[in-house]
């Protein structure tokens, strides 16, 4: 019996770089195409894009960029930051391999006793997780209003309890993560509607996945930052939503959680 372990890097207690994601990044570097890279890993085209969107959203800089033009009509490529992340990961992987080999040499599980220590981890189901910087905090004895500025420069307004502010020790200029459910994003093609939602974000529809009842709408809010909304398929039809169309996402400040 041998001891083994996979290497996963986390940001804000969320998986950021897993071995499968590294395989995807290496495949993008080799093929210059998201569809070819997805087949090489393998994973579905949508899963590949979801992984890229997640990495780009959580990272301080984009790991993958879209290229336009050229003989092949464009594609995808690693940024210089993405290249350096891969190189760092591979070095860590090599060190982990040496450590595990040494650990196996020093440990004899077959003749000894050991306990399995379970790690309790909470998996957050919220689809949208965006990294940003705290620009301003206004608080009283009950609530705290926080303004978060992500890479897209769209201001996000979050309302949390004062106790949560103190517990997380959130201060101005801290790096935090804004977390909100896709079901809490309302969409409109108009920038002027009567609604109490504090947050209004303009973007371009990147993808729409439909079923008979609901639809998942993915929106580019900057070059390498996306959010996802779940609305009814009827609403998609009524609003005449389609890929490439400009849309406004509305989110209530109470629906944005803040992690650190």
């Amino acid at each position: 019996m041998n001891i083994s372990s996979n290497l996963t890097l986390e940001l804000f207690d969320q998986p950021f770089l897993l071995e499968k994601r590294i395989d995807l990044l290496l495949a993008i570097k080799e093929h210059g195409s998201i569809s070819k890279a997805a087949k090489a890993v393998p994973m579905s085209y949508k899963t590949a894009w979801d992984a890229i969107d997640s990495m780009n959203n959580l990272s301080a800089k984009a790991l993958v960029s879209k290229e336009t033009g050229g003989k092949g009509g464009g594609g995808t490529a690693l940024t210089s930051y993405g290249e350096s992340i891969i190189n760092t990961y591979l070095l860590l992987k090599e060190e982990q391999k040496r450590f595990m080999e040494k650990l196996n040499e020093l440990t004899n599980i077959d003749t000894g006793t050991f306990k399995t220590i379970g790690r309790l981890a909470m998996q957050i189901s919220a689809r949208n997780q965006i990294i940003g910087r705290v620009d301003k905090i206004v608080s009283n004895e009950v609530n705290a209003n926080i303004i978060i500025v992500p890479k897209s420069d769209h201001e996000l307004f979050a309302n949390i309890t004062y106790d949560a502010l103190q517990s997380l020790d959130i201060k101005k200029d801290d790096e935090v993560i804004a977390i909100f459910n896709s079901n809490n994003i309302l969409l409109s093609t108009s920038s002027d509607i009567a609604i109490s939602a504090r947050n209004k974000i303009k973007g371009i529809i990147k993808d729409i996945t439909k079923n008979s009842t609901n639809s998942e709408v993915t929106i580019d809010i900057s070059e390498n930052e996306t959010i996802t909304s779940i609305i009814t398929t009827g609403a998609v039809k009524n609003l005449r939503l389609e890929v490439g169309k400009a849309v406004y996402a509305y989110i209530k400040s109470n629906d944005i959680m803040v992690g650190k």
Side-chain angles (χ1 to χ4, degrees), residues 225-242:
E225 205 163 37
T226 65
I227 59 175
T228 300
S229 173
I230 300 291
I231 61 175
T232 65
T233 299
V236 170
K237 182 178 180 180
N238 292 337
L239 291 170
R240 298 180 181 177
L241 301 184
E242 58 186 26

Side-chain angles (χ1 to χ4, degrees), residues 168-188:
L168 292 169
D169 192 28
I170 297 174
K171 297 182 176 64
K172 188 178 184 301
D173 294 325
D174 279 354
E175 192 173 68
V176 296
I177 183 166
I179 305 165
F180 44 99
N181 289 313
S182 52
N183 290 324
N184 290 333
I185 301 179
L186 305 177
L187 299 183
S188 174

Side-chain angles (χ1 to χ4, degrees), residues 53-116:
D53 287 341
S54 178
M55 288 186 286
N56 281 345
N57 283 347
L58 287 173
S59 176
K61 298 179 182 179
L63 276 67
V64 178
S65 64
K66 305 170 190 175
E67 294 182 331
T68 58
K71 183 177 179 181
T76 53
L78 296 184
T79 63
S80 57
Y81 182 70
E83 293 266 8
S84 90
I85 285 289
I86 282 183
N87 291 336
T88 300
Y89 184 94
L90 293 177
L91 287 173
L92 289 172
K93 186 67 178 175
E94 188 62 30
E95 289 302 315
Q96 183 204 31
K97 180 182 176 182
R98 292 196 189 99
F99 172 77
M100 297 308 297
E101 288 174 349
K102 187 65 176 178
L103 193 60
N104 274 297
E105 289 175 7
L106 298 174
T107 308
N108 189 341
I109 294 177
D110 292 325
T111 60
T113 59
F114 64 97
K115 295 180 180 179
T116 299

Side-chain angles (χ1 to χ4, degrees), residues 130-133 136 146-150 152-158 178-180 198-201 221 225 227 251 253 256:
I130 297 178
I131 194 171
R133 177 185 57 81
K136 186 177 181 180
I146 303 174
I147 299 177
I148 302 167
V149 181
S152 61
D153 285 333
H154 290 287
E155 286 187 340
L156 291 176
F157 298 87
I179 305 165
F180 44 99
R198 182 90 182 266
N199 296 287
K200 180 177 70 175
I201 304 174
I221 61 173
E225 205 163 37
I227 59 175
I251 313 160
S253 58
I256 295 183

Side-chain angles (χ1 to χ4, degrees), residues 28 31-41 43-45 48-49 76:
I28 289 172
H31 298 286
S33 162
I34 187 66
S35 58
K36 291 180 180 178
K39 289 179 181 178
V41 172
M43 63 174 63
S44 72
Y45 182 82
W49 267 121
T76 53

